[in-house]
Amino acid sequence: MKKIVLVLMVIVLIAACAPLASASSVESKASTQSLVDYLDTVYNKYSNNSTFDYLFRTYTTSTRCNLGILSRINAQKHLKHNIPYDTLLYPKGTPVFLVEQHKSPMDSVLYGTRNLRYNGCELIAVHNVLLELGKYKPMSQIIYDFESVGAIWLEGEFGTKIMQYNAYLKKQGVKTQEFRTVKQLDDARKDGDVFILTYRWMTDIGIHTIMVKQTDGRLMTYNNGGDALYDSFAQLIDLNGPFLMATRIAA
């Protein structure tokens, strides 16, 4: 038993002392790595080598859905609870883009062990994209869809695994194109493009996912804590936090 503990301590020590990836190495490998390896590299770049950060990186890059018992039980229960909010989420009762995650009644819409105010940014981005494409789905149904297949992340403590929203959109008949670097995004974007962007909070542990749309050469963000226009993705990322991944949407 003592030998096992000693081995584990050595492994942890080696992991804690591992050097961080440089920005140039992340950029050069981004186009050739699988999405899982790419995200792992990005997290290594911004890691503070804490145990929490390691778990954060491991869970978000996993390709498996977590079919926990709690997720399956909650899916049906939450569907019944959340249906009345399908109209209450909209000021006039008709579907519009959701852009104020921090306001009521987001804190009453259940997702995992939390609520949309706490962990709903990926689902809000998906909702907004589907609405933009004329494929509207009630939020209660979107929550049910994610919960029932286990796409929820640590029972909702960290929201939704970011790899799962692409898979969900594809099931809705939406074509997606992934981008691994900010430069790729700025080189490819054009008016009318719609994106889902995920970045890491600049001042906190966690990630945020939003819809972005380009009009007249500028980028409008939705549900970005004070939605604003940006001249480029480089500017958007510089002012909000480190880039993780982005997806361009096509109907």
Side-chain angles (χ1 to χ4, degrees):
M1 182 66 181
K2 291 182 178 179
K3 290 183 178 179
I4 295 175
V5 173
L6 180 60
V7 170
L8 290 175
M9 289 177 64
V10 171
I11 293 173
V12 170
L13 181 60
I14 292 173
C17 295
L20 302 183
S22 67
S24 60
S25 65
V26 171
E27 187 83 10
S28 63
K29 293 179 180 179
S31 60
T32 58
Q33 289 177 304
S34 70
L35 181 57
V36 173
D37 290 339
Y38 162 70
L39 288 172
D40 191 61
T41 301
V42 172
Y43 278 121
N44 273 323
K45 174 185 174 185
Y46 299 113
S47 172
N48 60 12
N49 286 322
S50 68
T51 301
F52 179 88
D53 202 72
Y54 170 75
L55 292 173
F56 182 86
R57 182 171 68 249
T58 301
Y59 274 103
T60 195
T61 55
S62 171
T63 56
R64 288 185 171 183
C65 287
N66 175 23
L67 289 173
I69 293 176
L70 187 57
S71 292
R72 286 178 286 183
I73 292 175
N74 280 347
Q76 193 63 46
K77 181 175 70 174
H78 288 172
L79 178 63
K80 183 178 180 180
H81 170 88
N82 290 334
I83 284 176
Y85 294 98
D86 287 337
T87 54
L88 295 176
L89 284 173
Y90 311 118
K92 296 183 179 180
T94 55
V96 294
F97 294 130
L98 299 176
V99 298
E100 296 180 317
Q101 182 179 346
H102 60 290
K103 291 187 177 181
S104 182
M106 289 288 183
D107 52 359
S108 297
V109 183
L110 302 180
Y111 183 47
T113 57
R114 297 283 190 163
N115 57 69
L116 289 193
R117 178 175 180 172
Y118 179 86
N119 65 9
C121 61
E122 286 85 18
L123 302 192
I124 291 171
V126 166
H127 165 278
N128 288 344
V129 163
L130 292 177
L131 183 61
E132 169 70 17
L133 297 177
K135 296 176 179 284
Y136 166 74
K137 266 196 170 190
M139 181 57 78
S140 64
Q141 185 63 49
I142 294 173
I143 292 172
Y144 176 80
D145 291 344
F146 276 83
E147 283 190 330
S148 62
V149 299
I152 197 167
W153 181 6
L154 286 182
E155 304 296 357
E157 286 300 314
F158 292 151
T160 304
K161 291 185 178 181
I162 61 176
M163 295 184 65
Q164 297 302 326
Y165 62 69
N166 275 349
Y168 181 77
L169 288 171
K170 289 175 182 177
K171 289 182 179 179
Q172 311 308 309
V174 177
K175 296 179 181 178
T176 63
Q177 178 186 5
E178 295 169 1
F179 290 87
R180 308 289 180 82
T181 71
V182 177
K183 186 178 185 305
Q184 288 177 344
L185 275 170
D186 276 330
D187 287 347
R189 64 186 176 90
K190 61 184 185 300
D191 281 357
D193 278 349
V194 176
F195 301 86
I196 291 183
L197 171 69
T198 299
Y199 60 85
R200 182 163 178 175
W201 288 116
M202 187 178 292
T203 58
D204 196 6
I205 293 176
I207 63 175
H208 191 47
T209 300
I210 58 175
M211 185 181 87
V212 182
K213 183 178 179 180
Q214 177 165 322
T215 304
D216 296 329
R218 305 194 73 193
L219 299 169
M220 179 67 188
T221 60
Y222 297 80
N223 190 39
N224 199 35
D227 300 320
L229 283 168
Y230 296 88
D231 294 325
S232 66
F233 277 104
Q235 182 192 37
L236 194 165
I237 290 299
D238 184 59
L239 294 175
N240 288 277
F243 173 80
L244 293 181
M245 65 175 288
T247 298
R248 179 159 55 185
I249 308 299

